[in-house]
Amino acid sequence: MTLFPRVLPQPTITLGIMGLWMVLAPSASLGNLLLAVILGVSIPWITRSFWPDRPYLARPLTGIVLFVRVVGDIIVASWEVARLVVGPLDRLKPAFIDVPIEIDDPFVATLLASIVSLTPGTVSVDIDRAAGILNVHALNVADEAEMIAAIKRRYEAPLKRVFGC
């Protein structure tokens, strides 16, 4: 193991902590900067044993496109859920759906489940990696096959390209 990963096991998180500390600090003093560096280095270092191995990004630009898609889907789904909840509740068709997934990596499978849960109107209930099933509860399911196809097309396929799995 080289010196750099031992000192800064998560450099992006280190920079994030330091930046967040400086934004939240009451003043941009040398003391606050020093404290930001101490926290930014020590927190990831102390918690390094909890972090899984970093996944390899095969196509980072696809990840940016996926991020934009997820943000757009969150905005659209928020509007749809608000419209559904305000309207007559008998129109809702909640259902549990088993989405077959083709992802072996636990981090990427968890990322898929997180994306599904971030989108209003859906929540990931369970990931059965042995069976290759992501169990999802949806607030309104008009067509189960279409919802499964949409999750696979919009989220799973790009995640597989981003992480090369």
Side-chain angles (χ1 to χ4, degrees):
M1 181 180 246
T2 63
L3 179 62
F4 187 71
R6 279 190 289 185
V7 175
L8 292 175
Q10 300 287 339
T12 307
I13 293 176
T14 295
L15 290 174
I17 291 171
M18 289 171 54
L20 184 62
W21 184 265
M22 291 308 294
V23 167
L24 295 175
S27 66
S29 66
L30 184 60
N32 279 325
L33 180 61
L34 181 63
L35 191 54
V37 170
I38 291 170
L39 289 173
V41 171
S42 64
I43 291 173
W45 187 78
I46 291 168
T47 62
R48 72 186 179 282
S49 63
F50 299 115
W51 291 91
D53 292 332
R54 283 188 220 164
Y56 169 73
L57 291 177
R59 294 189 175 151
L61 292 178
T62 304
I64 294 169
V65 171
L66 175 62
F67 176 78
V68 170
R69 174 181 293 152
V70 169
V71 169
D73 287 352
I74 289 171
I75 292 167
V76 169
S78 296
W79 178 257
E80 290 176 1
V81 167
R83 188 177 48 83
L84 285 169
V85 172
V86 170
L89 295 179
D90 59 339
R91 292 188 323 192
L92 295 178
K93 296 176 186 166
F96 285 95
I97 299 170
D98 288 333
V99 179
I101 59 173
E102 302 163 9
I103 298 173
D104 295 327
D105 185 276
F107 176 80
V108 180
T110 303
L111 196 55
L112 174 63
S114 297
I115 289 171
V116 169
S117 292
L118 280 172
T119 309
T122 56
V123 65
S124 299
V125 178
D126 185 37
I127 304 172
D128 186 348
R129 286 193 21 243
I133 300 291
L134 172 65
N135 187 256
V136 176
H137 180 268
L139 182 64
N140 192 32
V141 180
D143 183 3
E144 184 175 323
E146 173 53 36
M147 180 166 271
I148 291 170
I151 290 171
K152 293 184 76 57
R153 179 183 69 249
R154 296 186 66 78
Y155 307 130
E156 182 185 27
L159 277 171
K160 286 172 61 177
R161 285 193 303 274
V162 168
F163 294 102
C165 53

